[in-house]
Amino acid sequence: MSQRKDRSIIKALSRGARLRCPVCGGASVFQTPFRVRPECPACGAVFQREEGFFVGAIMINVVTTEAAVLATAGLWLLSSAGGGAALLPILFAVALLFPVAFYHHAWSLWLAGDHLVEGLPRRRPGA
Ligand SMILES: [Zn+2]
């Protein structure tokens, strides 16, 4: 129970947005640009969980991309630039580029959310 008191929403989401360990903030979640570390080298929090765990990260990326596409369309239509012919290629570009740009944050925020809900398990050498 005392572990639950250590979980602050602001801290965990802030660390997730900065791609840091949601538990301690001491290390990056990513080992290489497209590879999640198995665990945090600073506190031992396990980042690579069971098979299928990161389907939620994909869902966050898809939903956020849809929101970005809708926001872009709304802003385009509300602005005076609103020529309809240019809108579709712009939305297509947003739909292609946004998920690539948001990839790391989706994974990191999913980890932070899991830490807030359940708490990430810890793995210590020799423990
Ligand atoms: Zn950590």
Side-chain angles (χ1 to χ4, degrees), residues 85-121:
L87 179 59
L88 200 54
I90 289 171
L91 294 181
F92 186 71
V94 170
L96 281 180
L97 298 176
F98 187 88
V100 175
F102 195 68
Y103 171 84
H104 294 94
H105 289 86
W107 282 58
S108 186
L109 290 171
W110 179 249
L111 259 179
D114 189 55
H115 170 61
L116 288 172
V117 173
E118 293 186 6
L120 295 180

Short mmCIF file of all heavy atoms in Angstrom, two decimals, residues 85-121:
data_model
loop_
_atom_site.label_atom_id
_atom_site.label_comp_id
_atom_site.label_asym_id
_atom_site.label_seq_id
_atom_site.Cartn_x
_atom_site.Cartn_y
_atom_site.Cartn_z
N ALA A 85 -9.41 21.94 -51.75
CA ALA A 85 -8.56 21.03 -52.52
C ALA A 85 -7.28 20.67 -51.77
O ALA A 85 -6.76 19.57 -51.92
CB ALA A 85 -8.22 21.65 -53.86
N ALA A 86 -6.75 21.58 -50.97
CA ALA A 86 -5.49 21.34 -50.27
C ALA A 86 -5.69 20.56 -48.98
O ALA A 86 -4.73 20.01 -48.43
CB ALA A 86 -4.80 22.66 -49.97
N LEU A 87 -6.92 20.49 -48.49
CA LEU A 87 -7.16 19.88 -47.19
C LEU A 87 -6.83 18.39 -47.17
O LEU A 87 -6.17 17.91 -46.25
CB LEU A 87 -8.63 20.08 -46.77
CG LEU A 87 -9.03 19.47 -45.44
CD1 LEU A 87 -8.17 20.04 -44.32
CD2 LEU A 87 -10.51 19.71 -45.18
N LEU A 88 -7.23 17.66 -48.17
CA LEU A 88 -7.02 16.20 -48.17
C LEU A 88 -5.54 15.81 -48.14
O LEU A 88 -5.15 14.97 -47.32
CB LEU A 88 -7.75 15.56 -49.35
CG LEU A 88 -8.02 14.07 -49.23
CD1 LEU A 88 -8.77 13.76 -47.94
CD2 LEU A 88 -8.78 13.57 -50.43
N PRO A 89 -4.69 16.42 -49.00
CA PRO A 89 -3.25 16.09 -48.89
C PRO A 89 -2.66 16.46 -47.54
O PRO A 89 -1.80 15.74 -47.02
CB PRO A 89 -2.61 16.91 -50.01
CG PRO A 89 -3.70 17.22 -50.95
CD PRO A 89 -4.96 17.27 -50.14
N ILE A 90 -3.11 17.55 -46.94
CA ILE A 90 -2.60 17.95 -45.62
C ILE A 90 -3.02 16.92 -44.57
O ILE A 90 -2.21 16.49 -43.75
CB ILE A 90 -3.10 19.37 -45.27
CG1 ILE A 90 -2.38 20.39 -46.14
CG2 ILE A 90 -2.89 19.66 -43.79
CD1 ILE A 90 -2.94 21.78 -46.04
N LEU A 91 -4.27 16.50 -44.60
CA LEU A 91 -4.73 15.49 -43.64
C LEU A 91 -4.01 14.17 -43.85
O LEU A 91 -3.68 13.48 -42.89
CB LEU A 91 -6.25 15.30 -43.77
CG LEU A 91 -7.10 16.49 -43.38
CD1 LEU A 91 -8.58 16.15 -43.53
CD2 LEU A 91 -6.79 16.95 -41.97
N PHE A 92 -3.73 13.84 -45.09
CA PHE A 92 -3.00 12.61 -45.39
C PHE A 92 -1.59 12.68 -44.79
O PHE A 92 -1.10 11.72 -44.18
CB PHE A 92 -2.94 12.40 -46.91
CG PHE A 92 -2.34 11.09 -47.32
CD1 PHE A 92 -3.03 9.90 -47.10
CD2 PHE A 92 -1.10 11.04 -47.91
CE1 PHE A 92 -2.48 8.68 -47.47
CE2 PHE A 92 -0.54 9.83 -48.28
CZ PHE A 92 -1.23 8.65 -48.06
N ALA A 93 -0.94 13.83 -44.94
CA ALA A 93 0.41 14.01 -44.39
C ALA A 93 0.38 13.92 -42.86
O ALA A 93 1.25 13.28 -42.25
CB ALA A 93 0.99 15.35 -44.84
N VAL A 94 -0.61 14.53 -42.24
CA VAL A 94 -0.73 14.46 -40.77
C VAL A 94 -0.95 13.01 -40.33
O VAL A 94 -0.32 12.54 -39.39
CB VAL A 94 -1.87 15.37 -40.27
CG1 VAL A 94 -2.15 15.13 -38.79
CG2 VAL A 94 -1.53 16.83 -40.49
N ALA A 95 -1.81 12.31 -41.06
CA ALA A 95 -2.11 10.91 -40.70
C ALA A 95 -0.89 10.01 -40.87
O ALA A 95 -0.76 9.00 -40.18
CB ALA A 95 -3.28 10.40 -41.55
N LEU A 96 0.02 10.36 -41.77
CA LEU A 96 1.23 9.56 -41.95
C LEU A 96 2.34 9.94 -40.98
O LEU A 96 3.03 9.07 -40.44
CB LEU A 96 1.75 9.70 -43.38
CG LEU A 96 1.06 8.90 -44.46
CD1 LEU A 96 1.70 9.17 -45.81
CD2 LEU A 96 1.10 7.42 -44.15
N LEU A 97 2.53 11.22 -40.76
CA LEU A 97 3.69 11.68 -39.99
C LEU A 97 3.45 11.73 -38.49
O LEU A 97 4.37 11.49 -37.71
CB LEU A 97 4.13 13.07 -40.50
CG LEU A 97 4.57 13.10 -41.96
CD1 LEU A 97 4.89 14.52 -42.39
CD2 LEU A 97 5.76 12.18 -42.18
N PHE A 98 2.24 12.05 -38.07
CA PHE A 98 1.98 12.19 -36.64
C PHE A 98 2.25 10.91 -35.85
O PHE A 98 2.91 10.96 -34.81
CB PHE A 98 0.55 12.69 -36.38
CG PHE A 98 0.31 13.01 -34.94
CD1 PHE A 98 0.59 14.27 -34.44
CD2 PHE A 98 -0.18 12.04 -34.07
CE1 PHE A 98 0.39 14.55 -33.10
CE2 PHE A 98 -0.37 12.31 -32.74
CZ PHE A 98 -0.09 13.57 -32.25
N PRO A 99 1.78 9.74 -36.31
CA PRO A 99 2.03 8.53 -35.51
C PRO A 99 3.51 8.19 -35.40
O PRO A 99 3.94 7.64 -34.39
CB PRO A 99 1.26 7.43 -36.23
CG PRO A 99 0.75 8.00 -37.47
CD PRO A 99 0.91 9.48 -37.44
N VAL A 100 4.30 8.54 -36.40
CA VAL A 100 5.74 8.28 -36.33
C VAL A 100 6.36 9.22 -35.29
O VAL A 100 7.18 8.80 -34.46
CB VAL A 100 6.40 8.48 -37.71
CG1 VAL A 100 7.91 8.33 -37.61
CG2 VAL A 100 5.82 7.50 -38.71
N ALA A 101 5.95 10.48 -35.32
CA ALA A 101 6.49 11.46 -34.37
C ALA A 101 6.04 11.17 -32.94
O ALA A 101 6.76 11.44 -31.98
CB ALA A 101 6.07 12.87 -34.78
N PHE A 102 4.86 10.59 -32.77
CA PHE A 102 4.29 10.36 -31.44
C PHE A 102 4.58 8.97 -30.90
O PHE A 102 4.23 8.65 -29.77
CB PHE A 102 2.77 10.61 -31.50
CG PHE A 102 2.13 10.76 -30.16
CD1 PHE A 102 2.40 11.87 -29.36
CD2 PHE A 102 1.24 9.81 -29.68
CE1 PHE A 102 1.82 12.00 -28.11
CE2 PHE A 102 0.65 9.93 -28.43
CZ PHE A 102 0.95 11.04 -27.65
N TYR A 103 5.25 8.14 -31.67
CA TYR A 103 5.50 6.74 -31.34
C TYR A 103 6.10 6.57 -29.94
O TYR A 103 5.57 5.83 -29.10
CB TYR A 103 6.43 6.16 -32.40
CG TYR A 103 6.97 4.78 -32.12
CD1 TYR A 103 6.24 3.65 -32.43
CD2 TYR A 103 8.23 4.62 -31.54
CE1 TYR A 103 6.74 2.39 -32.19
CE2 TYR A 103 8.74 3.36 -31.29
CZ TYR A 103 7.99 2.25 -31.61
OH TYR A 103 8.50 1.01 -31.35
N HIS A 104 7.18 7.26 -29.66
CA HIS A 104 7.86 7.11 -28.37
C HIS A 104 6.98 7.57 -27.21
O HIS A 104 6.94 6.94 -26.16
CB HIS A 104 9.16 7.91 -28.35
CG HIS A 104 10.17 7.39 -29.32
ND1 HIS A 104 10.28 7.88 -30.59
CD2 HIS A 104 11.08 6.39 -29.20
CE1 HIS A 104 11.23 7.21 -31.21
NE2 HIS A 104 11.73 6.30 -30.40
N HIS A 105 6.30 8.67 -27.42
CA HIS A 105 5.46 9.20 -26.34
C HIS A 105 4.28 8.29 -26.05
O HIS A 105 3.86 8.15 -24.90
CB HIS A 105 5.00 10.62 -26.68
CG HIS A 105 6.12 11.61 -26.61
ND1 HIS A 105 6.95 11.84 -27.67
CD2 HIS A 105 6.57 12.37 -25.59
CE1 HIS A 105 7.87 12.72 -27.31
NE2 HIS A 105 7.66 13.06 -26.05
N ALA A 106 3.72 7.66 -27.09
CA ALA A 106 2.61 6.74 -26.86
C ALA A 106 3.05 5.58 -25.97
O ALA A 106 2.35 5.20 -25.02
CB ALA A 106 2.07 6.22 -28.19
N TRP A 107 4.22 5.02 -26.25
CA TRP A 107 4.72 3.91 -25.44
C TRP A 107 5.02 4.37 -24.03
O TRP A 107 4.68 3.71 -23.05
CB TRP A 107 5.99 3.33 -26.08
CG TRP A 107 5.72 2.44 -27.24
CD1 TRP A 107 5.05 2.78 -28.39
CD2 TRP A 107 6.10 1.07 -27.38
NE1 TRP A 107 5.01 1.70 -29.23
CE2 TRP A 107 5.65 0.64 -28.65
CE3 TRP A 107 6.79 0.18 -26.58
CZ2 TRP A 107 5.84 -0.64 -29.12
CZ3 TRP A 107 7.00 -1.10 -27.06
CH2 TRP A 107 6.53 -1.50 -28.31
N SER A 108 5.67 5.50 -23.91
CA SER A 108 6.07 5.99 -22.60
C SER A 108 4.84 6.37 -21.75
O SER A 108 4.79 6.08 -20.55
CB SER A 108 7.00 7.19 -22.78
OG SER A 108 7.52 7.60 -21.56
N LEU A 109 3.85 7.00 -22.38
CA LEU A 109 2.64 7.38 -21.64
C LEU A 109 1.82 6.14 -21.26
O LEU A 109 1.18 6.12 -20.20
CB LEU A 109 1.81 8.37 -22.46
CG LEU A 109 2.44 9.75 -22.58
CD1 LEU A 109 1.67 10.60 -23.60
CD2 LEU A 109 2.49 10.46 -21.24
N TRP A 110 1.83 5.12 -22.09
CA TRP A 110 1.14 3.88 -21.74
C TRP A 110 1.79 3.25 -20.50
O TRP A 110 1.10 2.78 -19.60
CB TRP A 110 1.15 2.92 -22.93
CG TRP A 110 0.48 1.62 -22.66
CD1 TRP A 110 1.06 0.40 -22.55
CD2 TRP A 110 -0.93 1.40 -22.43
NE1 TRP A 110 0.11 -0.57 -22.28
CE2 TRP A 110 -1.11 0.02 -22.20
CE3 TRP A 110 -2.03 2.25 -22.41
CZ2 TRP A 110 -2.37 -0.53 -21.95
CZ3 TRP A 110 -3.29 1.69 -22.16
CH2 TRP A 110 -3.43 0.33 -21.94
N LEU A 111 3.12 3.26 -20.47
CA LEU A 111 3.84 2.75 -19.30
C LEU A 111 3.49 3.57 -18.06
O LEU A 111 3.26 3.02 -16.98
CB LEU A 111 5.35 2.82 -19.53
CG LEU A 111 6.08 1.56 -19.92
CD1 LEU A 111 7.54 1.85 -20.13
CD2 LEU A 111 5.87 0.44 -18.94
N ALA A 112 3.44 4.89 -18.21
CA ALA A 112 3.11 5.75 -17.07
C ALA A 112 1.69 5.48 -16.59
O ALA A 112 1.43 5.42 -15.38
CB ALA A 112 3.26 7.23 -17.46
N GLY A 113 0.76 5.27 -17.52
CA GLY A 113 -0.61 4.94 -17.14
C GLY A 113 -0.68 3.62 -16.40
O GLY A 113 -1.40 3.49 -15.41
N ASP A 114 0.07 2.65 -16.86
CA ASP A 114 0.08 1.35 -16.18
C ASP A 114 0.68 1.48 -14.79
O ASP A 114 0.22 0.85 -13.84
CB ASP A 114 0.85 0.33 -17.00
CG ASP A 114 0.70 -1.07 -16.45
OD1 ASP A 114 -0.45 -1.52 -16.30
OD2 ASP A 114 1.72 -1.72 -16.15
N HIS A 115 1.70 2.31 -14.68
CA HIS A 115 2.30 2.54 -13.36
C HIS A 115 1.28 3.17 -12.42
O HIS A 115 1.20 2.80 -11.24
CB HIS A 115 3.52 3.45 -13.51
CG HIS A 115 4.06 3.93 -12.20
ND1 HIS A 115 4.54 3.06 -11.25
CD2 HIS A 115 4.16 5.16 -11.67
CE1 HIS A 115 4.94 3.76 -10.19
NE2 HIS A 115 4.70 5.03 -10.43
N LEU A 116 0.46 4.08 -12.93
CA LEU A 116 -0.54 4.74 -12.07
C LEU A 116 -1.63 3.76 -11.65
O LEU A 116 -2.13 3.82 -10.52
CB LEU A 116 -1.16 5.93 -12.80
CG LEU A 116 -0.24 7.13 -12.96
CD1 LEU A 116 -0.88 8.17 -13.85
CD2 LEU A 116 0.10 7.71 -11.60
N VAL A 117 -2.03 2.88 -12.55
CA VAL A 117 -3.14 1.96 -12.25
C VAL A 117 -2.69 0.79 -11.39
O VAL A 117 -3.30 0.48 -10.37
CB VAL A 117 -3.79 1.46 -13.56
CG1 VAL A 117 -4.81 0.38 -13.27
CG2 VAL A 117 -4.42 2.61 -14.31
N GLU A 118 -1.62 0.14 -11.81
CA GLU A 118 -1.21 -1.09 -11.12
C GLU A 118 0.13 -0.99 -10.42
O GLU A 118 0.42 -1.79 -9.54
CB GLU A 118 -1.12 -2.24 -12.14
CG GLU A 118 -2.44 -2.64 -12.73
CD GLU A 118 -2.30 -3.87 -13.61
OE1 GLU A 118 -1.22 -4.46 -13.66
OE2 GLU A 118 -3.30 -4.21 -14.24
N GLY A 119 0.97 -0.05 -10.83
CA GLY A 119 2.33 0.00 -10.32
C GLY A 119 3.18 -0.99 -11.11
O GLY A 119 2.79 -2.14 -11.27
N LEU A 120 4.31 -0.52 -11.63
CA LEU A 120 5.16 -1.42 -12.41
C LEU A 120 5.90 -2.36 -11.47
O LEU A 120 6.40 -1.94 -10.44
CB LEU A 120 6.19 -0.60 -13.22
CG LEU A 120 5.61 0.33 -14.30
CD1 LEU A 120 6.73 1.06 -15.00
CD2 LEU A 120 4.80 -0.45 -15.29
N PRO A 121 5.97 -3.64 -11.83
CA PRO A 121 6.74 -4.57 -11.00
C PRO A 121 8.22 -4.22 -11.08
O PRO A 121 8.68 -3.63 -12.04
CB PRO A 121 6.46 -5.93 -11.64
CG PRO A 121 6.00 -5.64 -13.02
CD PRO A 121 5.37 -4.29 -13.00
#
